Amino acid sequence: MNFSVGIIGLPNVGKSTLFKALTQQEVDISNYPFCTIDPNVGIVRVPDERLDKISQIVKPQKTTPTIIEFVDIAGLVKGAHKGEGLGNQFLSYIREVDAIVHVVRSFEAADIKHMEDTLDAQRDIDIVNTELMMKDLETIEKHWEKLESEAKNPEKKESKKELEIIAKIKKSLNEERLISQMNLDQREKELIKHLNLLTIKPVIYLINSRGTDKELELIKSLPDNTIPLDLKLELELSELGPEELNELKMNPRIDVLIKTCYKILDLITFYTIKGGEETRAWTAKIGSTAPQCGGIVHTDFENRFIRAEVINYKTLAEYGSWHNAHAKGLIRAEGKNYVVKDGDIIEFKI
Ligand SMILES: Nc1nc2c(ncn2[C@@H]2O[C@H](COP(=O)(O)OP(=O)(O)OP(=O)(O)O)[C@@H](O)[C@H]2O)c(=O)[nH]1
Ligand SMILES: [Mg+2]
C-alpha cells in the first residue's frame, strides 16, 4: 500500500529544496517564485531501525524497506482559488495526496524574494489555508443543490446524513477552521470521501528555519504537528556519505519528517521474512486485520488466508534469533480477525 504526501506552500519557500533532500532527484531550485510548475514526484525509502535489526537477526539475501511517495507541488498565492498565480490547476494535485507537508518560510535571506516581503509564519500559513478552504467551499457549493434535492427523497437516508455533515463543514469553513480540525468520525469521513476535499487531509507544518532566536520567535504559537527544519542544511547533509557526516559530527533530521507523516496518516509497519530470502517492511492502516495485511503483500494471502504466524519485533529482538523464539513457542498462530500490530513479523499461511 503506497501513501503519498504533497508538499505545498507559498512560492520560493523551499518546497523543492525539501523534495530534493528527501529524494536526491535533480530538480530545479532556482531562486525565483513559481520555479516549479509541473509537480515533481519521487519515492522515498522509509528509514526503519527495526528493519535493520530484523535483517541482522535473519540475515536475508535481500532487505527491502517500505516507501512513501512525495509530490512537490507548484507554489500558491493569495487568490489562487480564483486563478491568481499559477491558478487552480495545482489544486487537483493536492486532491490526490493522502497528507500534506505545508512548508513555511522562516529563514532570513535578503536575496531570496518573499511573496509577502516580510517574515510572518502565521500570516503565510493563513494565506495558504484560506485558499484551500475557499476551494473546499466552492466544491461544496457545486454539490449542494443536487444533494439537497436528493435528501428530500425519504428513501435516500444517506443523502440526508451527507447533507447534515456538509452543512457542518460549511459552517466550520466559514469560521475559518480546517475540516481536519473538526474531529469528524470515520463514518462521516467515508460519506464525504467522494468530494475529495482539500482541508480534510492531515497536515504537517514544516517551518524552514535555521533556528536563530529571532526566527524561533516567529513560530511560538503555531499548531500541533509543527516541525522546524533548516532545509538548506538538510539538502547539503543529504548529499554527504555516512563518513563525512561522522567527521562533521552532523546528523540529518529529515527522518523526523518522514516518521511524522506515518503518525498523521495513522500507519503501522509490519514485516515479512519469506523464509530468510527477503526481509521486507510493509505499510498498513492502523486497525488492519491479518487478511487485509496479507492482501497488501499478495492477493492470494487475502483471498486464501488460513492463518498468520506472528511474532512481534520486540519479542524477536529480545530472544536474538528466530530459532530461539521458535523453540520457545513464541511464534503465535492468529486467525482472520487478528488486528495486526505495529512491528509484527508475519508469515501468511494459505
Ligand atoms: N538561505 C536559505 N535559502 C533557502 C532555504 N531553503 C531554500 N532556500 C533557497 O530559496 C530558493 C527557493 O527554493 P525552492 O526550494 O526552489 O523553493 P520552492 O518553494 O520550491 O519555490 P517555487 O517552486 O518557486 O514555488 C532557492 O534559491 C533555495 O536555495 C533556507 O533554508 N535558507
Ligand atoms: Mg519549487
Side-chain angles (χ1 to χ4, degrees):
M1 214 176 233
N2 290 342
F3 290 88
S4 65
V5 177
I7 305 173
I8 69 163
L10 291 180
N12 228 18
V13 295
K15 299 182 297 299
S16 300
T17 304
L18 167 65
F19 180 83
K20 198 170 174 188
L22 283 165
T23 63
Q24 276 83 53
Q25 275 185 33
E26 277 310 315
V27 292
D28 196 353
I29 53 166
S30 304
N31 175 15
Y32 57 84
F34 303 117
C35 169
T36 307
I37 298 177
D38 293 326
N40 300 305
V41 182
I43 298 293
V44 176
R45 302 157 54 115
V46 176
D48 186 344
E49 301 90 13
R50 293 182 301 189
L51 179 67
D52 299 339
K53 185 83 199 206
I54 297 169
S55 279
Q56 280 169 20
I57 294 174
V58 179
K59 299 189 181 60
Q61 289 158 22
K62 191 174 162 198
T63 300
T64 312
T66 182
I67 53 165
I68 193 158
E69 185 183 81
F70 281 87
V71 189
D72 170 27
I73 299 171
L76 66 110
V77 290
K78 250 185 219 163
H81 74 282
K82 291 185 299 199
E84 294 294 327
L86 290 176
N88 251 324
Q89 125 206 9
F90 71 90
L91 291 166
S92 64
Y93 301 121
I94 306 179
R95 284 197 197 295
E96 284 158 30
V97 298
D98 299 299
I100 290 172
V101 174
H102 181 158
V103 181
V104 187
R105 171 166 169 180
S106 209
F107 63 85
E108 293 188 292
D111 60 325
I112 296 176
K113 175 158 176 58
H114 192 310
M115 293 304 282
E116 298 294 316
D117 297 321
T118 53
L119 283 185
D120 183 340
Q122 188 62 58
R123 174 204 59 206
D124 294 354
I125 287 180
D126 291 344
I127 291 175
V128 172
N129 281 346
T130 300
E131 291 308 317
L132 302 182
M133 290 191 282
M134 300 291 269
K135 189 69 198 173
D136 278 350
L137 276 170
E138 197 183 296
T139 307
I140 286 176
E141 287 305 337
K142 270 193 202 149
H143 185 65
W144 188 267
E145 229 172 88
K146 182 169 154 264
L147 192 62
E148 210 174 25
S149 72
E150 273 177 17
K152 284 186 186 132
N153 180 344
E155 275 172 27
K156 295 213 165 172
K157 285 214 179 76
E158 295 286 278
S159 300
K160 185 156 178 274
K161 181 76 192 153
E162 191 183 331
L163 191 68
E164 280 167 23
I165 302 165
I166 286 180
K168 223 166 45 168
I169 290 178
K170 199 166 148 182
K171 181 163 177 284
S172 171
L173 291 172
N174 279 321
E175 287 164 359
E176 290 177 29
R177 214 154 44 104
L178 306 173
I179 307 172
S180 58
Q181 294 170 325
M182 285 178 61
N183 295 324
L184 294 178
D185 63 34
Q186 210 46 45
R187 201 179 100 82
E188 291 175 314
K189 283 185 191 164
E190 276 302 313
L191 269 174
I192 54 156
K193 201 172 165 192
H194 67 104
L195 289 176
N196 258 323
L197 296 166
L198 303 174
T199 69
I200 201 167
K201 297 176 197 285
V203 188
I204 297 170
Y205 296 97
L206 195 159
I207 311 298
N208 186 5
S209 144
R210 284 207 319 278
T212 62
D213 287 348
K214 195 170 163 206
E215 288 170 346
L216 289 176
E217 188 87 339
L218 296 166
I219 59 174
K220 262 187 197 142
S221 62
L222 291 172
D224 290 348
N225 294 328
T226 296
I227 303 178
L229 212 54
D230 180 347
L231 293 178
K232 201 167 173 199
L233 175 68
E234 289 300 326
L235 177 59
E236 285 161 12
L237 297 182
S238 75
E239 286 160 359
L240 302 178
E243 278 152 30
E244 286 164 304
L245 287 172
N246 232 343
E247 247 166 55
L248 290 167
K249 297 200 169 40
M250 297 287 266
N251 272 323
R253 291 189 54 240
I254 210 154
D255 289 4
V256 176
L257 175 70
I258 302 172
K259 287 185 178 154
T260 311
C261 289
Y262 257 62
K263 198 180 98 200
I264 62 166
L265 280 164
D266 290 331
L267 300 178
I268 57 162
T269 307
F270 68 94
Y271 305 89
T272 52
I273 58 169
K274 210 178 170 188
E277 247 171 72
E278 181 186 19
T279 296
R280 181 158 176 178
W282 305 85
T283 306
K285 272 275 182 198
I286 287 180
S288 301
T289 59
Q292 283 168 339
C293 286
I296 295 170
V297 179
H298 196 290
T299 44
D300 276 357
F301 292 164
E302 181 163 17
N303 301 337
R304 295 168 51 206
F305 180 90
I306 295 174
R307 65 176 196 280
E309 298 200 338
V310 184
I311 179 170
N312 195 270
Y313 160 76
K314 276 193 207 136
T315 318
L316 180 66
E318 203 177 300
Y319 283 83
S321 91
W322 191 263
H323 183 78
N324 282 353
H326 196 268
K328 293 227 155 41
L330 294 166
I331 299 170
R332 313 178 317 264
E334 299 283 1
K336 65 178 188 328
N337 295 325
Y338 176 69
V339 175
V340 172
K341 311 279 179 309
D342 186 42
D344 276 352
I345 303 164
I346 307 180
E347 193 174 341
F348 296 97
K349 296 286 180 189
I350 56 173

